[in-house]
Amino acid sequence: AQSVTQLGSHVSVSEGALVLLRCNYSSSVPPYLFWYVQYPNQGLQLLLKYTTGATLVKGINGFEAEFKKSETSFHLTKPSAHMSDAAEYFCAVSERGNQGGKLIFGQGTELSVKP
Amino acid sequence: DTGVSQDPRHKITKRGQNVTFRCDPISEHNRLYWYRQTLGQGPEFLTYFQNEAQLEKSRLLSDRFSAERPKGSFSTLEIQRTEQGDSAMYLCASSFAGLTYEQYFGPGTRLTVT
């Protein structure tokens, strides 16, 4: 069965600092990989996805993530944090070969940005 | 394209009552998903439809929960005899299977059972 682990339920960075949110997955076959962001009392917004091809993917708002098969990881980074990046971030996977299918989410990482 | 919409946004009900939520997906999307999210947790999959067909149901979905998508457009999620443990955010998402793989989420319906 697939599973997702996000290391660190809460990450705090200073404005302008590097953001690194960690995600590891467990799957017998490399799945499709996603990062979503959730602002308070709102739904989830897709930041970026990896399905095939280049393993470094760029998303919205300056975020990017790198798929590393050998490490079963898909960490999210942003070179310089903004106050507006404060939110909950979720890593998710879906089964390859089912045209997507259900998402399995990690527990989430709350990002705080200090001025 | 108005995105995924959900109604109501908030629902407060007494234990034992029935509630129904509605989701309108992005119009050209053929897949519709329901998830449940409790405080401090990631969303958990409940069920999904491709067109009218319900293709998968989670074991989390007890007999008190039922979902429909009668014409392959909007969907409803009904919870019968609500319990306090049903209090959560219920999220709907849609996608176009065969074209892209990402799901687009609605704003959610927050259910509080008192």
Side-chain angles (χ1 to χ4, degrees):
Chain A
Q2 295 177 320
S3 65
V4 179
T5 302
Q6 290 184 239
L7 293 175
S9 58
H10 188 101
V11 170
S12 182
V13 300
S14 297
E15 193 172 19
L18 171 72
V19 175
L20 170 62
L21 304 182
R22 300 177 187 274
C23 172
N24 288 85
Y25 67 89
S26 174
S27 177
S28 55
V29 175
Y32 300 137
L33 296 150
F34 307 86
W35 276 99
Y36 283 87
V37 61
Q38 186 177 35
Y39 297 98
N41 297 312
Q42 294 187 27
L44 282 73
Q45 180 183 11
L46 180 70
L47 281 177
L48 48 78
K49 65 180 180 183
Y50 172 77
T51 56
T52 188
T55 56
L56 180 64
V57 293
K58 296 186 185 300
I60 62 171
N61 301 338
F63 285 94
E64 61 182 40
E66 186 172 11
F67 167 59
K68 292 187 176 180
K69 183 178 176 180
S70 61
E71 298 177 8
T72 60
S73 69
F74 191 56
H75 302 330
L76 182 72
T77 60
K78 181 173 180 178
S80 176
H82 296 160
M83 296 296 292
S84 60
D85 294 328
E88 187 90 22
Y89 291 80
F90 293 96
C91 181
V93 302
S94 68
E95 187 179 84
R96 189 172 291 273
N98 187 25
Q99 302 176 350
K102 67 186 178 190
L103 291 170
I104 306 298
F105 286 88
Q107 296 286 78
T109 298
E110 183 180 359
L111 176 66
S112 301
V113 182
K114 298 175 291 187
Chain B
D1 179 1
T2 57
V4 179
S5 62
Q6 293 186 246
D7 184 68
R9 293 291 307 276
H10 303 274
K11 179 71 176 180
I12 300 174
T13 190
K14 294 185 185 302
R15 189 175 54 190
Q17 298 294 305
N18 299 344
V19 294
T20 300
F21 310 141
R22 176 180 170 124
C23 172
D24 287 88
I26 293 171
S27 58
E28 62 268 26
H29 284 183
N30 55 3
R31 283 193 177 176
L32 187 149
Y33 303 80
W34 287 99
Y35 295 86
R36 179 171 65 189
Q37 185 180 24
T38 54
L39 206 61
Q41 303 294 316
E44 294 177 301
F45 168 76
L46 293 178
T47 188
Y48 88 95
F49 296 83
Q50 180 154 321
N51 301 314
E52 306 87 1
Q54 189 172 19
L55 295 189
E56 188 174 351
K57 290 170 59 173
S58 165
R59 278 171 278 182
L60 293 175
L61 212 64
S62 77
D63 291 345
R64 298 184 297 105
F65 288 69
S66 63
E68 294 183 339
R69 194 182 184 199
K71 296 183 179 179
S73 57
F74 72 91
S75 175
T76 58
L77 177 68
E78 181 183 17
I79 309 174
Q80 296 183 327
R81 305 180 303 282
T82 52
E83 301 171 357
Q84 286 191 319
D86 297 330
S87 295
M89 176 79 90
Y90 290 83
L91 294 164
C92 176
S94 69
S95 71
F96 193 99
L99 186 63
T100 63
Y101 305 98
E102 62 265 31
Q103 296 177 22
Y104 294 86
F105 282 80
T109 294
R110 181 166 296 284
L111 173 65
T112 302
V113 181
T114 62

